[in-house]
Amino acid sequence: MEKTSVNWNVQNYDRQGALSEVMRTDLTIRFDIEECELDNLSNKLAFALAPDTARQSIVTIVRQMEKGPEQLETVLQDLRRAEHYLKRASQGFSNLRIDYPKAGHGTDDPNRLLHGLFDGAVTTVEEIDHCLTRSAGKYSARTLDVPDKRRTRDERRTIVLRQIFELWERIGRRVSYSTDGVTSERRGPLVDFVNAVVPLLSNPPATISGETIRNEMREWRTERDLMASVPTPE
């Protein structure tokens, strides 16, 4: 029943959420979880699978925040190189005279126009450099690119598993897994719970590999630590 990519039941759910009463009752019995907790999870899963739910997950946003300062520094380095070569080109052009038809005709001389454009370009680059340098030390920045596009992610999966992990932690259970000593498969109560819930949210019913769940756990912990370290605006 396992699939590389889960075909989620993306739709607008009613008040009971993504899990029906029968589903919630079954999960309550099998995993000894209070019904009110599963009601809460059902509503959160409904939001995760709603058509209008933002596709850009918090994981992506955090990575964009991490990569932003590095990208800004690259922009500044490129800008300063451009400033250096522009000034050199301007100096070189100041020692040239191109024999345009109107050369030597005062304000109509294209050489004078080009000198002015060079001066304006140098001034503009200097102003941008000054502004971005101040911004780098005063404000946060994040890239608008999707970091590491080679890692194609199922963002719905990340959002769904995040809600399941948070429920598991909230009810006092460890967000963890065990490893089979013979097969090296990832196992444990949380892995079992995930693969009891996911088939109820997918069509055809699918499961998620223990290794993928392990990776999502690591991403979830990393994300939580990163968000805790991001200063809140005053």
Side-chain angles (χ1 to χ4, degrees):
M1 190 163 58
E2 185 171 339
K3 298 177 62 180
T4 301
S5 180
V6 177
N7 183 30
W8 300 102
N9 290 327
V10 177
Q11 59 181 284
N12 289 312
Y13 291 88
D14 58 24
R15 288 185 180 182
Q16 71 176 351
L19 301 173
S20 69
E21 183 177 354
V22 172
M23 293 173 183
R24 297 196 304 274
T25 299
D26 179 61
L27 291 171
T28 296
I29 295 171
R30 290 173 60 190
F31 295 95
D32 191 24
I33 300 174
E34 292 185 11
E35 189 173 344
C36 62
E37 291 289 355
L38 289 171
D39 290 346
N40 186 27
L41 175 64
S42 182
N43 287 320
K44 290 184 176 180
L45 292 175
F47 171 78
L49 298 177
D52 295 334
T53 295
R55 294 184 181 275
Q56 188 178 43
S57 75
I58 192 67
V59 174
T60 298
I61 293 172
V62 169
R63 286 177 177 157
Q64 288 175 331
M65 292 173 69
E66 287 183 284
K67 192 174 177 62
E70 176 186 340
Q71 185 165 324
L72 179 54
E73 182 58 33
T74 299
V75 169
L76 283 168
Q77 291 175 5
D78 290 342
L79 189 64
R80 287 161 188 167
R81 281 193 290 268
E83 182 180 349
H84 169 74
Y85 286 114
L86 184 59
K87 287 180 177 179
R88 193 166 76 176
S90 178
Q91 180 61 41
F93 186 74
S94 67
N95 293 322
L96 283 175
R97 175 187 169 112
I98 299 176
D99 292 328
Y100 295 111
K102 291 189 176 182
H105 288 72
T107 57
D108 292 334
D109 186 347
N111 290 288
R112 292 188 61 181
L113 173 62
L114 289 169
H115 281 303
L117 290 175
F118 265 114
D119 291 342
V122 170
T123 299
T124 298
V125 171
E126 289 175 341
E127 289 176 350
I128 295 174
D129 186 353
H130 178 68
C131 180
L132 290 182
T133 299
R134 287 188 59 201
S135 298
K138 190 174 182 181
Y139 304 108
S140 62
R142 67 182 178 95
T143 178
L144 299 180
D145 292 332
V146 177
D148 197 358
K149 294 181 181 178
R150 294 168 298 177
R151 297 178 62 189
T152 303
R153 298 179 59 90
D154 181 342
E155 298 293 0
R156 296 272 185 190
R157 182 190 70 207
T158 297
I159 299 171
V160 166
L161 292 190
R162 172 188 171 89
Q163 301 306 326
I164 294 174
F165 296 160
E166 290 182 352
L167 161 71
W168 203 254
E169 185 177 60
R170 188 168 59 249
I171 63 177
R173 300 180 189 179
R174 291 186 60 194
V175 178
S176 62
Y177 59 88
S178 60
T179 303
D180 188 289
V182 177
T183 65
S184 297
E185 291 182 11
R186 311 300 181 180
R187 296 180 175 177
L190 179 52
V191 173
D192 292 341
F193 182 63
V194 166
N195 281 324
V197 173
V198 169
L200 306 177
L201 307 174
S202 53
N203 185 25
T207 59
I208 298 176
S209 72
E211 188 65 24
T212 297
I213 295 171
R214 180 189 79 100
N215 292 337
E216 290 283 1
M217 285 184 194
R218 295 176 64 181
E219 294 284 356
W220 175 69
R221 291 193 186 95
T222 300
E223 168 204 335
R224 186 176 56 179
D225 293 344
L226 284 170
M227 291 304 296
S229 67
V230 173
T232 56
E234 297 180 356

